[in-house]
Amino acid sequence: MGFVYEQDAFALGFQGRDPSVGAFFGLLVGDVFAAKGVFALSKLRLQHSDVCFEIIDDLLGLLDHLKLDRAIIVGHSYGGWPISGAAERLVGKIASIVYVDAFVPENGQRGMDLSSAQFRQALQEAIAKGEAGRPVPDANVFKIIEPRDVRCVQSKMTPQPTFVSTSPIALTGARERIARKTYIRATGYPQPAFDGYLAAAKADRSWRTFELSARESGHDIMVDAPRRLAEILVEVRATTLEGKKKE
């Protein structure tokens, strides 16, 4: 049973510098690599109105290519949108779904509906100028702990296609029918929507939750706390496998 990992809005490649997690995810910019049963998908996109659906199609294509009958799909931040959409078309093939400080959208919502005021303004300005992509923000907004990591993340970010945030997502409840769901929250990163997802997950027995404090991590958990993120994902896989044995 492997992981499929979808990155955030501005990430071109995995930004962590911890060698153990670099090996764990096995990421390389522009390609799909596997390491220890963990798979990663890079985000290079054409900039047009179908881009949101193309990202979902890539997740489906990756699963098909890797011949994974059952997978754990993981999304960070914006990655919560495509993994939610992919769940609609992967009924019976997702063993568990994990949201890493991520959006958990509802049917008909758009990215711009849930983004911060700062990000919405940047998006609207990009659209007004006729630009295909929303400019990358200052990496400090993600509350990354180490200054050298702020510089690293800043250097790796790429503009996000504007249509990703303006296209509504179509969901019918497939995500909710997945037996094992996990929400990982970096509480030091201010995002009211994420706080709401965490509270809802805590109240639902089909979800597990994990919290990292502001001293442990900012929004980019794979950068600030890669070992902890790896531990959580390994635990998720272990409990998923154990649950499958009991079924």
Side-chain angles (χ1 to χ4, degrees), residues 32-233:
V32 176
F33 274 70
K36 299 182 181 178
V38 181
F39 305 97
L41 180 64
S42 66
K43 184 179 68 64
L44 289 171
R45 292 289 169 267
L46 297 175
Q47 300 186 6
H48 53 75
S49 60
D50 291 330
V51 66
C52 183
F53 305 105
E54 288 185 359
I55 295 172
I56 294 172
D57 286 341
D58 279 351
L59 279 170
L60 300 173
L62 179 59
L63 279 166
D64 181 65
H65 173 72
L66 296 171
K67 306 302 180 185
L68 293 176
D69 293 327
R70 300 280 283 174
I72 299 170
I73 59 175
V74 183
H76 171 245
S77 194
Y78 159 77
W81 291 85
I83 66 171
S84 295
E88 292 289 324
R89 296 163 61 184
L90 289 171
V91 176
K93 292 189 175 182
I94 299 177
S96 182
I97 191 166
V98 183
Y99 292 81
V100 182
D101 220 35
F103 290 99
V104 187
E106 298 296 333
N107 181 50
Q109 287 184 325
R110 303 168 300 170
M112 65 184 300
D113 298 331
L114 301 176
S115 295
S116 67
Q118 178 182 353
F119 281 7
R120 283 198 302 273
Q121 181 180 351
L123 173 67
Q124 290 164 352
E125 291 176 354
I127 293 173
K129 294 176 183 178
E131 297 175 347
R134 179 175 60 169
V136 300
D138 183 334
N140 285 291
V141 73
F142 301 120
K143 305 298 182 182
I144 298 167
I145 294 173
E146 294 291 340
R148 58 180 173 179
D149 287 336
V150 175
R151 294 191 294 270
C152 177
V153 169
Q154 191 72 61
S155 71
K156 294 180 182 294
M157 288 194 295
T158 58
Q160 182 190 35
T162 55
F163 283 115
V164 164
S165 296
T166 59
S167 301
I169 193 167
L171 302 175
T172 65
R175 176 185 61 214
E176 284 66 35
R177 292 189 289 272
I178 297 172
R180 298 168 185 86
K181 299 175 282 288
T182 302
Y183 198 88
I184 305 170
R185 177 72 173 110
T187 58
Y189 176 65
Q191 221 310 348
F194 294 177
D195 294 333
Y197 301 144
L198 177 66
K202 285 182 174 181
D204 187 332
R205 294 184 64 182
S206 69
W207 286 80
R208 296 185 68 198
T209 62
F210 296 87
E211 296 176 59
L212 284 78
S213 70
R215 300 178 71 178
E216 294 175 287
S217 180
H219 178 51
D220 285 359
I221 301 174
M222 67 284 189
V223 174
D224 285 329
R227 291 182 185 274
R228 179 58 183 141
L229 178 58
E231 290 170 356
I232 292 172
L233 293 181

